[in-house]
Amino acid sequence: HVQLVESGGGLVQTGGSLRLSCTASGDTYDNYCMAWFRQAPGKEREGVAYIDNSGMTRYAISVTGRFTISRDNAKNTLYLQMDGLKRADTTMYFCAADNSQLKCQYRRRDFSYWGQGTQVTVS
């Protein structure tokens, strides 16, 4: 099992940047497929960015070219650098982990482990 804690959300103006962090504990972080999701009230959860244990990344079309997912295995930390933020990016962001790399390959939403979420608000 792995425990996930997000941080870095907040209020930012349109066009600004934020960097979200997700610290993992409890298991061998290096082996996990990791991802960032977001979900607005009344809407389906959206997979924003994925990174597998080899470092291969995948992005939703809505954030391609603006968001960058990365991981620091030495620090057990996942990041999401968000640039060029838009009001449409306003919502709760969650990090997630799964020990199946297929979840990253196929951009699945049924990850096994989730953080509590961090709010991003773009004004």
Side-chain angles (χ1 to χ4, degrees):
H1 296 286
V2 63
Q3 292 80 44
L4 304 170
V5 178
E6 301 98 333
S7 61
L11 175 64
V12 65
Q13 291 185 340
T14 297
S17 298
L18 280 176
R19 188 175 79 157
L20 305 183
S21 299
C22 172
T23 301
S25 61
D27 202 350
T28 306
Y29 169 79
D30 307 18
N31 295 333
Y32 280 81
C33 152
M34 304 293 297
W36 287 99
F37 290 81
R38 63 188 182 187
Q39 186 170 20
K43 293 189 176 181
E44 289 191 351
R45 183 179 299 163
E46 177 188 15
V48 173
Y50 299 76
I51 184 166
D52 67 16
N53 62 351
S54 74
M56 182 172 290
T57 59
R58 295 168 175 86
Y59 296 93
I61 292 174
S62 58
V63 306
T64 298
R66 299 188 299 123
F67 290 11
T68 304
I69 189 171
S70 62
R71 64 193 298 166
D72 185 336
N73 290 340
K75 296 182 178 180
N76 283 6
T77 302
L78 177 74
Y79 301 101
L80 184 68
Q81 178 66 41
M82 304 186 294
D83 300 316
L85 282 162
K86 306 175 182 179
R87 289 187 177 181
D89 296 318
T90 295
T91 190
M92 286 287 287
Y93 285 73
F94 302 86
C95 72
D98 200 286
N99 56 15
S100 171
Q101 302 307 312
L102 293 178
K103 300 289 177 75
C104 281
Q105 181 177 356
Y106 293 106
R107 305 185 195 184
R108 295 287 296 266
R109 293 184 288 179
D110 55 336
F111 276 55
S112 297
Y113 307 105
W114 295 85
Q116 82 289 350
T118 185
Q119 176 69 35
V120 171
T121 302
V122 184
S123 64

